[in-house]
Amino acid sequence: MSTATSNQNIATRPGPVGLAVHCKGVTKHFGKGDSKVLALRGVDLDIKYGELMMLVGPSGCGKTTLISVIAGILDRDAGECTVFGADFANLSGGARTKWRGANIGFVFQQFNLLPTLTAAENVAVPLMILGEGRHAAVKRAYDVLATVGLADRGKSLPSQLSGGQQQRVAIARALIHQPRLIVCDEPTSALDAVTGHTVMRLLKGVAMAQDRALVIVTHDARIFGFADRVASMNDGSVVSVGTPAELEAVHRH
Amino acid sequence: MTRVALQMLFGDKMKFFALIIGLTFSAMMIAQQASIFTGYAGRSGAWIRDTSQGDLWVIDPQMEVFIDQKRMTNTQLQRVRSVDGVAWATQVFSGFLNARLPDGTIQAVRVVGLDDATLMGGPPRMVHGTLADLRRDRGIIVNSNDLGNLLKPRRKPGSPELGVGDRLDINDNEVEIVGVYSKSAEFFWEPVVYTTFSRALTLAPPERKLTQFIMVKAQPGQDLAQLQSRINAATGLAAHTGAEFAWLTTRYILIQTGILINFGITIALGFVIGVLVSGLLLYSFVLENTKNFAALKAMGAGNLTLTTMVLVQAGAAGVIGFGLGVGVAGVTGLVISDSGSLAFQMSWHVPVFTGVAILICCCVAAVVSLGRVLRLELSQVFKA
């Protein structure tokens, strides 16, 4: 099943021109009564096509909650949030899962590779979820593994790969179905500095395209330079958005 | 995604083997106990099935089991013979008497007296001699297995086994073994000794009613059900086909001995073990894979896909556990039952019954686990 086919039944409306992701006044809380925590306090954030946006900020500031709302994993309480014009609030559970599968690729902090599947089979999983036959999906997985420099490791189990190689497999998995939005959660936090840079170069090199956007949540200041723009979050709000140079200047002052 | 589900299951070797061992043990326990139960139930009517020369058994209506000493007067035989559609009818004596073996061993035996003229109602297979040898003076025929067991002289160690030509006493009347027969294993253990009807009457204490059964052969083309009705109406007795009479006996034994409840408890225990083991281990497997299932869901796997995956995992474990369990039960049962001591009969009902029980185990396990998968907190994919 192609991405285009899987989108045919999803009602979308054009988002603001040139924006892949548009969030306005997004709020989200967890818990009830005295234990109620406001995780997002009216977040405004736009991500353009072809842009690599990094979300940075201290632990508990709402970065992960925001990408969860953007990816349709969590429901927002209030505000607007569209991804390529689609508003998850208007989609049923099944349609939302289907849309997410076709349009969003994920790179997780702990890779989340299935330990009993080979690297190629792991990479092929999103295609199989979309209905592609196993043989064709695994064949395509080898092509994508080649783009991340792991053509010869397709038959390896995750346990036989280094952390950097596992993350490259995870990147290949996030790309195989050609999603338009790629969401990465701390992609370099489990890696050393050199491997982290290699992974980021790869992400920027193979994942970026004019019709695609990349959102990366990170604490890792060593990779800020790879971003087109950086959104700083604090206490559930986006406090500033700018280029890495602008962010550095703000910090210098 | 079916293959992915199986790879997830087979890849976690410890859990997979524990799950298979649990289900195998459960299936084996259910299949083995059910087979032994079936074996005992089958043995309870074995003598009736072995005695298949007639079409109908006519008995006293109050008789509940074939060893019940509720006899009829021999005039009933004439009344049965006069019913329209009866080709022939013969009487059979059956009663428990004490035998004394040459070394003084006392053993209760069931003496079966066959119609002197026709010898109808005899054993299914002769090993030594012929049924007609019963017409010889003092003749009796004994079972080959009993000669090495309950009819073995055991008061004096080293006494030889009895055989054709040897003599013993039954109710203080001397008789001679003139033949040896073989038969199916029975629920009742007393040796069955065949003789003629008239000789059985000389062995047994005098009573007014001496006919235990009347064996009836229907005329060709007769409807058995209608013939049964006619016999019942004309004589006030109860006419049964062999299958009905065997079931009458089996039902009585199942109820009166508590065998049904006892085997039922063991089978239920096997089922409970299966549910608990498979439920806990599959749930534990799903619990350990929660993050993987969450990742799959985040990547677009819907509830139907995840449900199918869990069902495939539970089903695969169930099929393997069922196959191994029934296989092990069958092989061990057949090996042990070859010695004749184990009442083991794996009829087609047993694998079907076991399969349904294991299917229920797996369904319960899958439902318990599915609750976890379908209520996944998806945001945990972003947790370290």
Side-chain angles (χ1 to χ4, degrees):
Chain A
M1 182 189 294
S2 69
T3 303
T5 308
S6 66
N7 285 333
Q8 279 173 359
N9 297 327
I10 309 296
T12 59
R13 60 183 171 76
V17 177
L19 293 182
V21 178
H22 169 65
C23 294
K24 189 169 177 59
V26 174
T27 64
K28 175 70 186 172
H29 78 273
F30 297 107
K32 288 179 186 171
D34 293 341
S35 59
K36 183 174 177 179
V37 175
L38 209 50
L40 296 179
R41 299 166 184 268
V43 169
D44 295 336
L45 181 69
D46 290 333
I47 302 171
K48 299 171 198 161
Y49 281 98
E51 186 173 46
L52 192 163
M53 171 71 80
M54 280 192 190
L55 296 180
V56 302
S59 293
C61 69
K63 304 184 296 292
T64 300
T65 304
L66 181 57
I67 59 165
S68 296
V69 169
I70 289 172
I73 283 172
L74 286 177
D75 287 320
R76 64 184 185 270
D77 296 337
E80 287 178 33
C81 185
T82 57
V83 180
F84 305 114
D87 186 348
F88 284 121
N90 297 331
L91 300 178
S92 67
R96 179 189 300 196
T97 303
K98 200 170 175 183
W99 196 92
R100 189 172 55 232
N103 292 285
I104 301 179
F106 292 92
V107 178
F108 305 109
Q109 183 178 355
Q110 294 298 324
F111 324 131
N112 286 21
L113 300 175
L114 295 173
T116 53
L117 267 56
T118 64
E121 288 166 342
N122 265 292
V123 172
V125 162
L127 283 184
M128 289 193 272
I129 288 173
L130 290 173
E132 185 82 48
R134 179 188 164 78
H135 183 72
V138 171
K139 194 175 172 204
R140 170 88 185 113
Y142 274 99
D143 296 338
V144 183
L145 276 173
T147 66
V148 296
L150 291 174
D152 57 336
R153 302 308 300 268
K155 289 198 167 96
S156 301
L157 292 171
S159 59
Q160 295 166 327
L161 300 173
S162 68
Q165 287 173 324
Q166 287 188 55
Q167 196 58 300
R168 282 151 68 188
V169 172
I171 290 169
R173 183 179 64 181
L175 294 174
I176 190 168
H177 55 306
Q178 299 179 322
R180 290 193 287 168
L181 176 67
I182 295 171
V183 176
C184 307
D185 181 41
E186 307 272 10
T188 59
S189 70
L191 308 174
D192 60 66
V194 175
T195 312
H197 270 257
T198 306
V199 164
M200 281 310 301
R201 267 198 300 276
L202 193 65
L203 257 178
K204 185 129 185 170
V206 300
M208 289 312 303
Q210 281 309 306
D211 61 344
R212 188 180 271 170
L214 208 70
V215 189
I216 297 177
V217 166
T218 186
H219 278 105
D220 190 353
R222 297 169 302 185
I223 64 167
F224 288 176
F226 287 94
D228 294 315
R229 286 193 300 157
V230 177
S232 288
M233 292 189 69
N234 194 21
D235 198 20
S237 301
V238 173
V239 292
S240 68
V241 180
T243 63
E246 288 168 348
L247 181 72
E248 200 178 344
V250 169
H251 277 270
R252 229 182 276 125
H253 288 96
Chain B
M1 294 298 285
T2 302
R3 191 157 159 187
V4 172
L6 292 177
Q7 282 178 283
M8 285 172 73
L9 178 70
F10 299 153
D12 190 347
K13 290 188 173 53
M14 285 296 286
K15 283 242 165 17
F16 174 66
F17 283 128
L19 190 60
I20 294 304
I21 287 169
L23 284 168
T24 298
F25 180 74
S26 178
M28 188 187 75
M29 204 161 159
I30 294 170
Q32 192 187 54
Q33 291 300 304
S35 295
I36 295 172
F37 172 77
T38 309
Y40 275 125
R43 284 186 176 191
S44 62
W47 184 78
I48 297 166
R49 281 192 292 276
D50 272 354
T51 312
S52 56
Q53 295 92 335
D55 294 322
L56 296 173
W57 293 77
V58 180
I59 56 173
D60 185 286
Q62 291 189 47
M63 185 185 282
E64 293 176 291
V65 58
F66 75 88
I67 56 167
D68 228 353
Q69 306 269 302
K70 289 168 184 162
R71 297 184 185 134
M72 302 165 282
T73 56
N74 65 351
T75 53
Q76 298 286 22
L77 175 63
Q78 308 310 325
R79 296 181 68 188
V80 171
R81 281 175 173 165
S82 67
V83 173
D84 186 33
V86 172
W88 54 256
T90 61
Q91 58 192 342
V92 179
F93 170 90
S94 175
F96 288 99
L97 298 170
N98 273 339
R100 194 176 69 224
L101 309 187
D103 71 334
T105 302
I106 305 291
Q107 173 64 51
V109 296
R110 186 158 70 89
V111 175
V112 176
L114 308 177
D115 179 70
D116 290 52
T118 63
L119 296 179
M120 281 296 170
R125 293 171 296 277
M126 290 300 294
V127 178
H128 291 296
T130 64
L131 199 56
D133 290 334
L134 281 181
R135 296 200 175 95
R136 286 164 53 186
D137 184 37
R138 301 166 192 269
I140 61 165
I141 293 174
V142 297
N143 176 235
S144 54
N145 284 340
D146 291 332
L147 288 175
N149 188 14
L150 290 174
L151 287 182
K152 185 179 178 183
R154 47 195 185 275
R155 262 176 73 86
K156 293 179 183 166
S159 298
E161 281 184 17
L162 300 180
V164 174
D166 288 327
R167 295 194 169 196
L168 58 146
D169 289 350
I170 293 180
N171 198 23
D172 291 335
N173 294 280
E174 192 177 55
V175 291
E176 181 183 327
I177 299 172
V178 295
V180 179
Y181 71 90
S182 70
K183 63 176 174 104
S184 307
E186 278 196 68
F187 182 82
F188 300 102
W189 54 90
E190 287 88 357
V192 178
V193 173
Y194 286 91
T195 187
T196 58
F197 191 87
S198 59
R199 189 171 301 119
L201 298 191
T202 65
L203 300 176
E207 288 184 49
R208 195 172 69 85
K209 297 180 176 179
L210 291 163
T211 302
Q212 180 83 352
F213 318 108
I214 296 171
M215 290 186 65
V216 170
K217 185 72 179 174
Q219 289 174 350
Q222 284 292 321
D223 182 273
L224 278 185
Q226 289 179 6
L227 181 58
Q228 280 177 273
S229 301
R230 285 200 296 274
I231 291 172
N232 295 348
T235 64
L237 301 171
H240 299 282
T241 61
E244 289 168 352
F245 191 30
W247 171 240
L248 194 72
T249 296
T250 301
R251 192 182 63 176
Y252 180 84
I253 291 171
L254 294 185
I255 293 168
Q256 294 303 322
T257 59
I259 196 173
L260 185 61
I261 293 170
N262 286 302
F263 276 96
I265 288 171
T266 314
I267 290 168
L269 196 64
F271 177 72
V272 169
I273 289 171
V275 169
L276 286 177
V277 169
S278 59
L280 282 173
L281 286 172
L282 194 65
Y283 184 75
S284 160
F285 170 78
V286 166
L287 204 65
E288 276 189 15
N289 282 283
T290 301
K291 208 157 185 178
N292 292 328
F293 280 116
L296 290 173
K297 196 165 186 178
M299 289 189 285
N303 283 342
L304 182 63
T305 302
L306 296 179
T307 301
T308 305
M309 288 179 75
V310 172
L311 288 177
V312 163
Q313 288 165 344
V319 167
I320 295 169
F322 164 77
L324 287 175
V326 171
V328 170
V331 170
T332 55
L334 288 174
V335 168
I336 298 171
S337 66
D338 258 1
S339 66
S341 55
L342 184 68
F344 187 91
Q345 188 186 339
M346 191 179 278
S347 62
W348 65 268
H349 306 88
V350 173
V352 170
F353 174 73
T354 309
V356 170
I358 295 298
L359 180 68
I360 294 171
C361 287
C362 292
C363 285
V364 171
V367 166
V368 170
S369 307
L370 271 175
R372 178 85 190 176
V373 171
L374 297 180
R375 286 196 300 270
L376 275 175
E377 190 197 337
L378 214 48
S379 57
Q380 65 185 288
V381 290
F382 291 130
K383 289 174 185 165

